[in-house]
Amino acid sequence: MTEVYPNPSPGMMGLIEPSTSTQMQPLETEQAGVQCAPPESSEMEPEPVIDIVIHNVVCTFSTRCHLNLKKIATEGMNVEYRPGDGMVLMRLRHPRSTASMWSSGKITCTGASSEEEAHIATRKFARIIQKMGFRVRYSSFKVVNVLGTCRMSFPIRLPTFSEENHKNASYEPELHPGVTYQLKTPKATLKIFSTGSITVTAPCVANIGAAIEHIFPLVYKHKMKHSELKTLPQTNLLQSRVNMQHKTNKSKVVARNFDDSDSLEDTSDEDDEFDTDSSFD
């Protein structure tokens, strides 16, 4: 039997509508909450941080006057005179740098760890020479070359990297253990090793940072997996253990042959007879 409900009267409709609306409101708010709620924050991988260390900044400047190298060698401090090369070496402690001076007035400064230190060192060298009586006019300061290094947090597969980037990379393991990668923009030369260390040579410090940013995504594709790293030391350990066992077995055989020899017994008897017969007055 199907139950038939009477149609509600207009008065009853007014009573039912608020109840249905109040019951539906929580559902609407819940659905709205689901739609408007931001997506759950997924665990983001930490961005890699690479420390770039500047080891050497090479710069040049000119004094615009003739320099008497013998006078600088005799009156200066921390000076080394090389007449065969026609130059004088002068060293500073703070900042640590070395200057190569020629009689033409051109000076090359090496050893600084930043462009600012290189500029300060060249000014100090110019002031030292000026106090010796030379008419020094500091000019033509220029940073020629910068050497920097960095280390990736993962080892690199050099053969696959050199094959994929054969236009700019050259890899000859018989001559050099690393890959030489040359960049035109920015101008830089990189030496990439399987351990993850990279050496960069560029005309300025800014180019070194740009070169590392350029090479990182290319190198990241060819990083070694943990399984590859685990297999290498195990094989080396097994080979070393086999070699050690082989050496110990050889030494045991030699010792046994040496102990069983008749010549050793004869010599020992002779020594004993000599000791017993020998007499000292």
Side-chain angles (χ1 to χ4, degrees):
M1 297 292 293
T2 58
E3 297 181 358
V4 178
Y5 294 96
N7 293 330
S9 62
M12 293 178 66
M13 289 292 292
L15 295 174
I16 293 172
E17 287 177 357
S19 62
T20 54
S21 62
T22 54
Q23 290 178 359
M24 294 298 293
Q25 281 178 359
L27 295 175
E28 292 177 359
T29 54
E30 288 178 2
Q31 291 178 357
V34 171
Q35 293 177 359
C36 298
E40 296 180 357
S41 60
S42 59
E43 296 180 358
M44 300 295 292
E45 295 182 357
E47 296 182 357
V49 178
I50 301 173
D51 294 331
I52 302 174
V53 181
I54 305 299
H55 293 279
N56 187 17
V57 177
V58 182
C59 59
T60 60
F61 73 99
S62 177
T63 58
R64 297 178 65 183
C65 67
H66 179 77
L67 299 179
N68 189 353
L69 300 182
K70 291 183 179 180
K71 183 178 180 180
I72 296 173
T74 53
E75 297 181 5
M77 296 180 63
N78 298 325
V79 176
E80 181 181 352
Y81 182 41
R82 296 184 178 179
D85 300 331
M87 67 176 182
V88 170
L89 296 179
M90 183 179 292
R91 294 178 175 83
L92 284 179
R93 291 185 177 179
H94 304 288
R96 186 178 294 276
S97 57
T98 304
S100 302
M101 305 178 183
W102 286 270
S103 59
S104 61
K106 183 180 178 181
I107 299 176
T108 302
C109 183
T110 61
S113 59
S114 65
E115 294 183 357
E116 296 179 357
E117 287 188 1
H119 185 71
I120 294 171
T122 54
R123 298 285 297 184
K124 285 187 175 183
F125 286 124
R127 182 65 67 184
I128 291 171
I129 297 171
Q130 188 180 25
K131 289 181 179 180
M132 294 181 185
F134 297 98
R135 299 182 60 183
V136 176
R137 289 172 290 178
Y138 184 88
S139 63
S140 303
F141 173 80
K142 182 181 179 181
V143 176
V144 179
N145 196 4
V146 180
L147 175 65
T149 59
C150 68
R151 188 176 183 86
M152 301 295 173
S153 59
F154 50 86
I156 305 167
R157 290 193 298 267
L158 297 183
T160 57
F161 172 78
S162 60
E163 289 178 2
E164 184 176 347
N165 304 277
H166 63 277
K167 293 183 178 180
N168 299 326
S170 63
Y171 180 48
E172 296 181 0
E174 296 85 1
L175 302 177
H176 193 267
V179 175
T180 303
Y181 190 92
Q182 293 184 353
L183 280 174
K184 293 184 179 179
T185 52
K187 187 178 181 182
T189 303
L190 296 88
K191 299 285 187 180
I192 305 169
F193 300 91
S194 61
T195 57
S197 61
I198 299 176
T199 303
V200 187
T201 305
C204 61
V205 177
N207 284 15
I208 291 182
I212 296 299
E213 291 179 359
H214 174 83
I215 203 66
F216 179 79
L218 302 179
V219 169
Y220 188 79
K221 298 178 183 178
H222 303 277
K223 67 175 182 178
M224 290 186 183
K225 299 179 181 179
H226 294 287
S227 59
E228 297 177 359
L229 295 175
K230 290 179 180 179
T231 55
L232 293 175
Q234 288 179 359
T235 55
N236 294 333
L237 286 174
L238 290 173
Q239 291 177 359
S240 61
R241 287 174 182 173
V242 170
N243 294 331
M244 289 295 293
Q245 290 179 358
H246 186 63
K247 289 181 180 178
T248 52
N249 293 332
K250 277 187 175 181
S251 62
K252 289 179 181 179
V253 171
V254 172
R256 288 174 183 175
N257 295 333
F258 185 72
D259 293 335
D260 296 338
S261 61
D262 298 334
S263 59
L264 181 61
E265 295 179 357
D266 297 338
T267 54
S268 61
D269 295 340
E270 290 177 358
D271 293 339
D272 293 337
E273 291 177 359
F274 177 77
D275 293 338
T276 53
D277 296 339
S278 60
S279 57
F280 300 94
D281 297 334

